[in-house]
Amino acid sequence: QVEQQVEQQVEQQVEQQVEKKPETTTTSSTVSIGESIVRGGSDNVLQWIKPQHSDESDKVPNLALDVMSDQASSPLRELAEALGDEGKAEAVRWKRMHPLGNQCGLLAVVHDDGQAFNVTLTTDLNDEVILHWGVCKGTNKKSKNKKKKFSEWVLPDASLWPSGTKACEDGLAVDTPFNVLANPKRNAPLQQVNITIPKLDDEDCGEDGDVLGVTFVLQSEDNTMWWKDGNGNFTVPLPRKKQNQSSSSFADAELDDELLNDIIHSEMKDQWTLMHRFNKCAELMRDVLQSRYGNDSQSIASGLRTVYVWLRYSSIRQLTWQRNYNTQPRHLSGAQEHLTQGLA
């Protein structure tokens, strides 16, 4: 009988403690160090790991919007917005913003004053940088070398060099220091380089033809750091006039569509495989998006359609997959991944 009475008393005490626990937990919203969460009366562990907030603060953070909001307040972004949209703003023919890491960037702008193209490069890097650059030149229609469509990196003429420019030992590029611009909103000032390229007619062009663009990379003044556009060089395309050429030879014939001409000349090479096609497609697609083949939305859309049809002809094997060249599988898979990431 004594044992039964003791058991009943213990059960009653336990029931009373259990009934009192919900009342005590509602008044406490914090857990001290060493205190058990279960003893606190809550079985929702997530509310201690991730505190609940009300309304908009409870939403999942959008990291992309956060990055855009950070860039929106940068001096480069304000400068780009002040220039207006390319093609619509007066004298602005081309404009791009390139990220350089550490919340820094590079703003490239092409102005057209009627007589020349003014290429302006502005960066907000903390390090003092040097512009290592050259030019891309097209083939003059009077040139005898018709197979050379354009050169990707050529030593610019001395008349194009800004002040302080020095020639490099390789004879293909020059180095130009950036000029410092005062910036009261930031401890590190903006840095800028201006390159003026006059417009030339075919009669004034040399054997290499007119300048099609400026290609470059950035390097720190102490030559310890380099900045590139992904794995390649930065390129600033210049607007060019379409040239109508007539020739009895199909290889020398030119179409009105410059992008198609580049694709045809690539497909007619002696050594050509899927690896070459994928790499060339990724390069041309990047040029289309950078307004090399037109800076209006219609030209960009038309260029992307051309690239799509080109890849469609390749997928149904209407174009050669391998010609006079042996490709290692790892190189082909790398080219395919590069193109896939570009498309994505």
Side-chain angles (χ1 to χ4, degrees):
Q1 292 178 354
V2 174
E3 290 179 353
Q4 292 178 355
Q5 291 178 358
V6 172
E7 290 179 356
Q8 292 177 357
Q9 291 178 359
V10 171
E11 291 178 355
Q12 291 177 359
Q13 291 178 358
V14 171
E15 291 177 355
Q16 291 177 359
Q17 290 180 358
V18 171
E19 292 176 355
K20 291 180 179 179
K21 280 184 179 180
E23 299 177 358
T24 57
T25 55
T26 56
T27 59
S28 177
S29 60
T30 60
V31 177
S32 60
I33 297 177
E35 184 180 359
S36 173
I37 295 179
V38 176
R39 194 170 70 84
S42 173
D43 57 352
N44 184 9
V45 182
L46 290 179
Q47 78 174 13
W48 305 106
I49 300 176
K50 181 181 179 181
Q52 299 294 324
H53 301 284
S54 59
D55 301 333
E56 297 182 356
S57 59
D58 189 29
K59 297 180 180 179
V60 177
N62 192 328
L63 300 181
L65 293 179
D66 294 342
V67 173
M68 292 176 62
S69 62
D70 293 339
Q71 292 181 349
S73 59
S74 67
L76 279 182
R77 183 66 61 178
E78 295 176 1
L79 180 60
E81 293 177 354
L83 293 173
D85 297 333
E86 57 188 83
K88 297 180 181 179
E90 184 178 0
V92 176
R93 299 297 301 274
W94 189 86
K95 178 181 65 175
R96 284 295 180 275
M97 176 76 75
H98 299 280
L100 300 180
N102 295 329
Q103 296 184 351
C104 297
L106 172 70
L107 175 62
V109 183
V110 177
H111 291 86
D112 184 1
D113 62 4
Q115 301 296 327
F117 295 114
N118 296 316
V119 180
T120 303
L121 304 175
T122 309
T123 180
D124 57 353
L125 286 171
N126 297 325
D127 303 288
E128 295 184 0
V129 291
I130 297 175
L131 182 68
H132 183 79
W133 64 287
V135 295
C136 303
K137 285 192 173 182
T139 303
N140 191 345
K141 66 181 183 180
K142 294 185 178 181
S143 173
K144 298 179 181 179
N145 188 4
K146 296 294 184 181
K147 293 183 179 181
K148 185 179 180 182
K149 183 65 178 175
F150 65 90
S151 52
E152 296 181 353
W153 193 298
V154 177
L155 180 69
D157 297 335
S159 60
L160 305 179
W161 297 6
S163 60
T165 301
K166 297 180 180 179
C168 298
E169 296 180 356
D170 57 7
L172 296 177
V174 294
D175 290 339
T176 302
F178 276 74
N179 298 319
V180 178
L181 299 178
N183 181 21
K185 296 184 178 180
R186 199 166 180 265
N187 295 330
L190 295 176
Q191 303 179 67
Q192 190 175 88
V193 167
N194 292 283
I195 302 174
T196 301
I197 301 176
K199 298 180 180 180
L200 300 177
D201 297 330
D202 293 327
E203 290 75 10
D204 299 329
C205 295
E207 185 72 13
D208 292 334
D210 197 3
V211 176
L212 303 182
V214 177
T215 180
F216 63 92
V217 294
L218 302 180
Q219 67 177 102
S220 60
E221 194 174 33
D222 55 3
N223 201 21
T224 58
M225 297 185 63
W226 292 77
W227 290 269
K228 297 182 178 181
D229 186 10
N231 295 326
N233 305 320
F234 293 102
T235 302
V236 177
L238 300 180
R240 57 179 297 191
K241 297 183 297 183
K242 294 183 179 180
Q243 299 178 355
N244 297 324
Q245 300 183 5
S246 59
S247 175
S248 57
S249 174
F250 177 77
D252 296 337
E254 296 291 337
L255 303 176
D256 292 336
D257 193 326
E258 183 183 356
L259 178 58
L260 282 178
N261 289 328
D262 291 341
I263 294 175
I264 292 173
H265 281 275
S266 299
E267 290 288 340
M268 295 176 63
K269 291 182 178 179
D270 295 333
Q271 296 180 342
W272 190 253
T273 64
L274 276 178
M275 177 194 69
H276 297 92
R277 181 176 295 126
F278 289 161
N279 288 331
K280 187 64 178 180
C281 182
E283 175 187 347
L284 293 180
M285 185 177 60
R286 183 172 60 252
D287 291 342
V288 169
L289 296 176
Q290 291 180 349
S291 304
R292 178 187 167 190
Y293 301 99
N295 58 3
D296 57 301
S297 59
Q298 185 176 0
S299 299
I300 295 176
S302 176
L304 293 178
R305 285 195 296 267
T306 302
V307 172
Y308 170 80
V309 174
W310 180 27
L311 290 177
R312 179 59 179 164
Y313 270 101
S314 175
S315 66
I316 62 177
R317 292 181 178 244
Q318 295 301 308
L319 299 176
T320 303
W321 280 20
Q322 185 170 346
R323 180 171 62 244
N324 300 330
Y325 193 93
N326 293 326
T327 304
Q328 297 183 16
R330 61 188 181 93
H331 292 163
L332 176 58
S333 62
Q336 184 179 13
E337 182 181 3
H338 176 56
L339 175 59
T340 302
Q341 292 178 353
L343 289 171

